[in-house]
Amino acid sequence: MTDIRIRFDGISKWYGSLCVVDNLDLDIAKGQFVSLLGPSGSGKTTLLMMLAGFETPTKGRVLVDGEPVDHLPTYRRDMGVVFQSYALFPHMSVGENIAFPLQMRGVGAAEIGERVARALDMVQLSAMRDRRPSQLSGGQQQRVALARALVFEPRVVLMDEPLGALDKQLREQMQLDIRALHNRLGLTIVFVTHDQSEALTMSDRIAVLNKGKIEQIGTPREIYDEPHTRFVAEFIGETNLAEGTVESVAGAEARIALKRGGHVIAGLSGKVAAGQDVLLSIRPERIELKDGTVATGNSIAARVADCVYQGDHLRVQLDGSAHGFIVRLDRKSREWQPGAEVVAEFRPADCRVIAP
Ligand code: ADP
Ligand code: MG
């Protein structure tokens, strides 16, 4: 109990007749990096705003360290916030921007000087202290925003798509920098993104949001390897889907009759019963190709439609007889000719049953 830092307890948010967050429960442990991942409009920002105190839940409570915070204004919630737009004060220098939250909290001048210097050092901007935000690059401005959110050592840091405006290279560098800061300072971070690879890179846990509900929450590995729903399987990474019917269940595996013919053994995340229609999700890189026309073991027979060398991997498109699967092979694999007859093999654990 004591290690739960943040609890969303039955939170709903309505704007008029529009339900944006739908009776949502979520616990975030102390020191954890949790991403809220979902498409645009899924309610991520609204959820973060309710945690920060910029929005009020229609129903439910937000608790921090076991205490309801709904009556507290933002500045008394002890949270650092970083938005996509840097929202720096343009008329203040970098140093003054970072000092601002400390002045608001009545910290003495000497201590402010020390803490600002440390925060600048942390984001490697000590040399920029006297510049105006307009004299900095986008990445530098975002690092100032980060320093300003961290300088008062808040118990929680909230970030809403903070890297969205940066180009790819800088974004990837900042992802690692923020991750390193998180590890070094033991921060509790709630990080909003619609970018699945960003969430996979940075998070201890990912909560996948869809239409104001959490579809699935888990470690990046759980979310990627064992998606529970079609939405999660398709939103995180690329996947192949196949329709089938459950024939029998044994422990955490089921034998599935494929709609397009053949049988496979598939891994279960939830409960299914014999006779039930299901979807299978198989990641492209979990499939191997062999010569042949007969599917034995856990496999599907198919023809190659296309094979493209992509530098770091080979991408093979199978034809309709194998549900049009995409296969991602190691770059050193042999090339497959269009029309070649192949058997596509995969492990039961890599072939996941998801409810239809
Ligand atoms: P996300 O951050 O996941 O893109 P948001 O939380 O910003 O999603 O928005 C979720 C939904 O709520 C959207 O349909 C959006 O249009 C709506 N919404 C957000 N803020 C308001 C508001 N102040 N008034 C009315 N509708 C809003
Ligand atoms: Mg948003």
Side-chain angles (χ1 to χ4, degrees):
M1 172 65 216
T2 47
D3 67 342
I4 292 181
R5 175 123 282 179
I6 296 161
R7 168 166 285 175
F8 291 97
D9 180 16
I11 289 285
S12 294
K13 179 68 180 178
W14 292 74
Y15 288 113
S17 60
L18 180 68
C19 179
V20 173
V21 175
D22 189 3
N23 194 23
L24 180 145
D25 296 317
L26 172 62
D27 284 350
I28 295 172
K30 243 176 228 173
Q32 225 168 34
F33 192 123
V34 173
S35 289
L36 307 177
L37 173 67
S40 176
S42 55
K44 306 179 297 292
T45 293
T46 305
L47 202 53
L48 207 66
M49 291 297 107
M50 290 191 285
L51 178 54
F54 296 120
E55 282 287 356
T56 313
T58 311
K59 208 173 116 284
R61 295 185 309 168
V62 178
L63 297 104
V64 179
D65 292 334
E67 301 285 330
V69 294
D70 302 274
H71 58 289
L72 292 179
T74 300
Y75 68 92
R76 295 206 32 217
R77 293 192 184 194
D78 195 17
M79 295 177 184
V81 184
V82 186
F83 298 106
Q84 174 168 356
S85 57
Y86 324 116
L88 299 176
F89 303 115
H91 57 286
M92 291 185 192
S93 70
V94 166
E96 288 164 349
N97 263 281
I98 298 173
F100 185 77
L102 298 173
Q103 284 161 352
M104 291 292 289
R105 286 167 176 79
V107 177
E111 197 183 335
I112 288 181
E114 268 171 44
R115 286 225 228 164
V116 169
R118 241 185 298 146
L120 278 167
D121 188 43
M122 182 173 68
V123 296
Q124 292 162 18
L125 285 178
S126 299
M128 307 286 168
R129 184 185 183 120
D130 298 321
R131 290 208 191 171
R132 291 289 165 93
S134 61
Q135 296 170 302
L136 301 178
S137 71
Q140 290 169 333
Q141 289 182 47
Q142 196 56 310
R143 272 147 62 194
V144 176
L146 192 61
R148 193 178 56 176
L150 295 175
V151 71
F152 60 98
E153 293 169 11
R155 55 184 169 175
V156 176
V157 179
L158 310 181
M159 302 192 192
D160 192 352
E161 314 230 9
L163 311 181
L166 308 181
D167 61 39
K168 185 169 181 289
Q169 208 177 345
L170 187 56
R171 195 164 66 233
E172 288 172 355
Q173 184 55 49
M174 288 284 292
Q175 287 171 1
L176 299 179
D177 289 351
I178 293 174
R179 177 85 210 152
L181 273 177
H182 165 261
N183 292 340
R184 189 146 52 85
L185 305 179
L187 299 167
T188 305
I189 298 184
V190 187
F191 188 95
V192 162
T193 181
H194 66 268
D195 179 338
Q196 42 109 1
S197 79
E198 186 162 280
L200 289 172
T201 304
M202 299 185 73
S203 319
D204 296 318
R205 288 204 306 160
I206 299 172
V208 183
L209 253 76
N210 183 24
K211 296 180 183 151
K213 283 180 186 290
I214 294 179
E215 284 262 336
Q216 188 171 346
I217 180 159
T219 63
R221 191 176 283 275
E222 286 165 348
I223 295 280
Y224 186 83
D225 287 353
E226 297 171 19
H228 292 178
T229 66
R230 177 176 188 162
F231 178 85
V232 174
E234 292 190 308
F235 192 72
I236 290 102
E238 191 178 27
T239 203
N240 296 296
L241 296 173
E243 289 176 304
T245 306
V246 177
E247 282 194 343
S248 59
V249 178
E253 292 183 346
R255 182 175 155 89
I256 310 291
L258 296 172
K259 216 166 187 174
R260 303 214 179 166
H263 294 85
V264 294
I265 307 291
L268 294 171
S269 302
K271 274 201 168 20
V272 293
Q276 190 177 332
D277 288 337
V278 291
L279 272 177
L280 300 178
S281 165
I282 311 165
R283 299 290 186 190
E285 76 282 4
R286 305 291 165 86
I287 299 174
E288 288 188 57
L289 296 182
K290 303 245 162 82
D291 282 309
T293 53
V294 184
T296 53
N298 234 32
S299 62
I300 297 175
R303 265 177 215 280
V304 171
D306 199 6
C307 177
V308 182
Y309 180 68
Q310 304 223 294
D312 62 341
H313 72 282
L314 276 176
R315 190 178 172 82
V316 183
Q317 168 92 55
L318 302 181
D319 70 2
S321 60
H323 313 80
F325 277 9
I326 300 285
V327 183
R328 199 184 159 103
L329 299 174
D330 185 89
R331 66 181 187 84
K332 290 180 186 150
S333 311
R334 62 181 262 206
E335 305 250 354
W336 295 87
Q337 294 306 314
E341 293 182 309
V342 293
V343 174
E345 281 189 345
F346 36 83
R347 293 165 51 225
D350 289 331
C351 172
R352 306 301 306 179
V353 172
I354 53 187

